[in-house]
Amino acid sequence: MPHQRDSCRRSDAQRNRERILEVALAELSRCADAPLSGIAKKAGVGQGTFYRNFPNRESLVLEIYRHEMQQVADSARHLLDTRAPDEALRAWMDRLSEFAMTKAGLADAIRQVTGAPGGPAKPSPTPVTHAAELLLRANEEAGTIRPGVTADDFFLAIAGLWQIDPHDDWRPRATRLLDLVMDGLRTRARHR
């Protein structure tokens, strides 16, 4: 019985953590200075639970960024398992645009915590880079994109995403941009 109680407590703690991250993402994207007490209240957790998970604003903001980045990276494998490589790549590009807009909304909060003297460094985008490589190699192998495109090439090609205002109706613009990039990737793809 004690083992079962521990398991329930762990799953409750995980749900609390995820709920905090979800609410904090929305609140901090809207306002970089959103009070932590308000985030805890909207997440339906007490101050103690909140601060046990995130002892300060820095740890919360960086965890949101890491969490979102990991979600984007993890979605690449799932998309490749469920779709043709070129469809998986294009769907992942849409997921990446969601992340870009989230990151843009969080940019002020990220700058506040990583720009302070002695503050933490922003996490590197390594998981997302690996995910891009996975998708690009799968497409190259399938002959659906031109050979030799690197993750660096890909991110330079879609860099315009980070120029789109997240407060406007950004989806149609992002879709047009990513369709252009996808068309460019397909140019001279070898066909088998």
Side-chain angles (χ1 to χ4, degrees):
M1 209 58 140
H3 175 69
Q4 200 171 23
R5 266 195 307 260
D6 287 346
S7 177
C8 284
R9 262 187 251 139
R10 276 194 302 274
S11 63
D12 284 348
Q14 184 60 34
R15 275 193 300 276
N16 285 340
R17 185 176 176 78
E18 287 169 7
R19 201 165 44 250
I20 292 167
L21 287 171
E22 185 181 316
V23 170
L25 172 61
E27 294 300 307
L28 291 171
S29 293
R30 196 169 20 258
C31 173
D33 296 322
L36 299 184
S37 58
I39 292 170
K41 187 175 182 180
K42 282 188 178 181
V45 299
Q47 297 287 338
T49 298
F50 183 90
Y51 286 106
R52 231 183 343 274
N53 281 283
F54 303 104
N56 53 43
R57 180 175 292 276
E58 292 82 9
S59 63
L60 176 63
V61 169
L62 292 176
E63 183 57 27
I64 291 169
Y65 184 68
R66 261 191 228 91
H67 179 74
E68 288 297 301
M69 198 171 14
Q70 194 60 55
Q71 297 288 97
V72 171
D74 291 347
S75 68
R77 170 54 56 202
H78 172 73
L79 288 166
L80 273 175
D81 289 345
T82 58
R83 300 176 187 206
D86 58 334
E87 292 171 11
L89 177 59
R90 186 59 188 82
W92 190 73
M93 290 163 76
D94 286 335
R95 180 67 181 88
L96 193 58
S97 71
E98 294 273 343
F99 174 65
M101 294 305 104
T102 297
K103 184 177 177 284
L106 274 178
D108 288 340
I110 292 168
R111 264 194 299 280
Q112 283 176 7
V113 302
T114 59
K122 189 166 92 174
S124 73
T126 305
V128 175
T129 304
H130 289 314
E133 282 291 345
L134 176 72
L135 287 157
L136 291 168
R137 297 300 63 86
N139 274 276
E140 188 175 328
E141 181 64 30
T144 51
I145 66 168
R146 64 177 61 211
V149 177
T150 67
D152 283 346
D153 298 334
F154 174 78
F155 287 112
L156 281 171
I158 65 164
L161 277 177
W162 281 266
Q163 304 305 312
I164 297 173
D165 185 345
H167 305 294
D168 286 343
D169 184 17
W170 59 268
R171 286 181 201 283
R173 257 185 117 181
T175 297
R176 280 193 311 275
L177 173 70
L178 295 176
D179 284 346
L180 282 168
V181 171
M182 194 68 198
D183 288 346
L185 288 170
R186 286 186 178 121
T187 304
R188 294 191 322 236
R190 65 184 191 275
H191 298 287
R192 294 184 170 168

